[in-house]
Amino acid sequence: MIRVTFISADGQTRQQVDAPAGAVLLDVAQAAGQPLEGTCEGQMACSTCHVIVDADDFAKLTRASEDEEDMLDLAAAATRTSRLACQITLDEALEDITVRMPGEFYNMQGM
Ligand code: FES
């Protein structure tokens, strides 16, 4: 099992869930009730599954494809450690991962 921690856009709320290896982060987030629309269901055509990954965890993930990078360029409030949740498959080697919901609060607080 991989421990996934979701942090709300304003940084105030944390939610922890355990997910099996091989699960897609977007599915785990939606099952946990996190506000990720994932409109295109993993087709890399919407960027509504954008999350901001903890810097240490980001380094452990397989690199984003060029298509994913292109979508992230269009995502609102994207950062250096932004990823599309539909492109992240949880891997046993991760052990745990922390991601934050993007949002205007994030920018307003300058965090
Ligand atoms: Fe649309 Fe991830 S669900 S890009």
Side-chain angles (χ1 to χ4, degrees):
M1 287 297 216
I2 293 121
R3 168 67 47 93
V4 185
T5 305
F6 296 106
I7 302 178
S8 60
D10 62 7
Q12 299 298 307
T13 317
R14 280 171 171 264
Q15 182 187 17
Q16 281 194 332
V17 296
D18 288 324
V24 174
L25 184 60
L26 176 60
D27 297 337
V28 176
Q30 289 183 332
Q34 290 293 323
L36 290 183
E37 277 180 46
T39 318
C40 77
E41 295 174 347
Q43 302 300 304
M44 272 200 276
C46 72
S47 84
T48 58
C49 63
H50 167 212
V51 292
I52 296 160
V53 182
D54 171 87
D56 289 342
D57 296 334
F58 183 82
K60 293 187 227 154
L61 296 172
T62 4
R63 273 170 161 276
S65 65
E66 222 165 283
D67 287 345
E68 183 180 347
E69 295 283 0
D70 287 349
M71 276 322 295
L72 284 168
D73 282 346
L74 305 174
T79 73
R80 270 189 315 117
T81 63
S82 288
R83 290 295 304 264
L84 296 178
C86 68
Q87 300 303 311
I88 297 179
T89 304
L90 298 176
D91 187 315
E92 210 67 77
L94 277 172
E95 289 173 27
D96 56 63
I97 180 169
T98 302
V99 299
R100 185 193 285 258
M101 298 302 123
E104 33 190 338
F105 291 114
Y106 185 87
N107 280 342
M108 277 160 47
Q109 293 182 346
M111 290 168 67

